[in-house]
Amino acid sequence: MDTRRSFLSTLGQLLLVTVFGLPLVTPLMRWASVPCTHDGHLHIHRIAAMRHAWENGIYFARWIPDLAFGYGSPFFVYREPGPLYAILLPQLWGIPLPTAANLFYGLTILAAGWFMFLWVRDVAGARAGFVSAVAYMTAPYILLDALVRGNAPESLALPLFPFLLWIGRRWMIKGTAVPFLLAVLGLALLSISHNISILIFVPTLLVYLIAIGLLNQLTRKPLLGRLVLLFGLGLGITIFYTGGALLEMDQVT
């Protein structure tokens, strides 16, 4: 009963965060058109080329043959596939491309609030979590990324920051399977979402989780074990992308 009551309470709090976030995503509530952004039209072309490759049996194309006026482009050798697949997959399921793109950006804004709430609530309580969620959702950088820049990689990375801080903290404290699996999946998704964020945020996350472990008096063995499992598996399962990006940087201009 306590678990059910806790779940319903959390759901109600997240719905309240969503209500405050809905006005922020009203420019994205369109079925057949997308906002005019800096990079949005480029992503539309890339997703169309990815769909053509997908329909020809190339499900992960590091080289997109239809870009660059038909000459092809090694786009996914050095840029992140995750955000574009997040738009492509709903389109393959029958959702129009503009709708899928708008849904993606709208959900990234709302998810930024959801995960910030969950993290701060664990640390400082529900009231602080709610204030932090609204502040994070309405941060100019998040809204500019989605509504002006059309920066799909960063838009996906920004909600993953509080998600990893929240679920990573739970993994360090509890050491149970569910937080571990969610943290690994979140770190893997960040790896294929925005490579600059990996370089900046992963060291920050590592320092934070070490501090959490020390504050909760974890001894050296479980502390190092949980860190190695999380970062080793979370970053290791995306080595097919990050490894190629690092090894072939000198071959891309």
Side-chain angles (χ1 to χ4, degrees):
M1 184 63 68
D2 289 340
T3 301
R4 183 180 178 184
R5 186 180 295 113
S6 176
F7 173 77
L8 291 176
S9 175
T10 298
L11 185 61
Q13 292 164 338
L14 292 176
L15 286 174
L16 184 59
V17 172
T18 304
V19 168
F20 275 78
L22 285 177
L24 305 174
V25 301
T26 51
L28 299 166
M29 293 180 180
R30 306 175 185 179
W31 184 263
S33 63
V34 295
C36 182
T37 58
H38 299 167
D39 295 341
H41 65 292
L42 297 175
H43 295 317
I44 295 296
H45 289 298
R46 291 161 186 157
I47 294 164
M50 290 167 64
R51 175 162 188 164
H52 184 258
W54 183 286
E55 291 171 344
N56 284 276
I58 307 172
Y59 303 116
F60 181 76
R62 299 181 71 226
W63 178 278
I64 298 294
D66 297 316
L67 293 182
F69 302 102
Y71 289 101
S73 171
F75 186 74
F76 292 125
V77 171
Y78 60 97
R79 289 311 308 263
E80 313 84 352
L84 302 188
Y85 276 101
I87 300 173
L88 172 65
L89 293 178
Q91 190 200 9
L92 293 172
W93 298 332
I95 297 177
L97 180 54
T99 307
N102 290 336
L103 183 63
F104 167 80
Y105 286 110
L107 285 176
T108 60
I109 294 172
L110 295 176
W114 298 335
F115 296 137
M116 180 61 75
F117 169 80
L118 292 172
W119 175 43
V120 177
R121 185 192 63 172
D122 277 7
V123 175
R127 183 175 298 179
F130 179 75
V131 173
S132 300
V134 174
Y136 193 49
M137 282 191 301
T138 57
Y141 196 86
I142 286 183
L143 298 179
L144 285 171
D145 259 354
L147 303 177
V148 178
R149 299 177 65 201
N151 189 333
E154 274 195 3
S155 291
L156 184 54
L158 289 169
L160 288 174
F161 295 165
F163 174 79
L164 285 166
L165 292 168
W166 166 60
I167 206 65
R169 178 181 181 274
R170 289 198 165 196
W171 161 239
M172 294 302 294
I173 293 174
K174 298 181 179 181
T176 53
V178 173
F180 170 65
L181 293 175
L182 290 176
V184 166
L185 291 174
L187 192 55
L189 183 57
L190 182 63
S191 297
I192 59 172
S193 297
H194 192 230
N195 47 27
I196 298 174
S197 291
I198 283 292
L199 299 175
I200 297 174
F201 181 73
V202 166
T204 304
L205 179 65
L206 176 61
V207 171
Y208 175 72
L209 295 183
I210 291 173
I212 292 296
L214 295 176
L215 287 172
N216 285 272
Q217 300 180 342
L218 285 180
T219 58
R220 180 179 299 179
K221 188 174 180 179
L223 175 62
L224 292 179
R226 292 175 191 181
L227 291 173
V228 169
L229 282 173
L230 172 57
F231 289 94
L233 191 55
L235 298 176
I237 61 178
T238 55
I239 197 67
F240 67 92
Y241 162 68
T242 53
L246 292 172
L247 292 174
E248 299 176 12
M249 282 193 298
D250 61 340
Q251 299 180 34
V252 177
T253 301

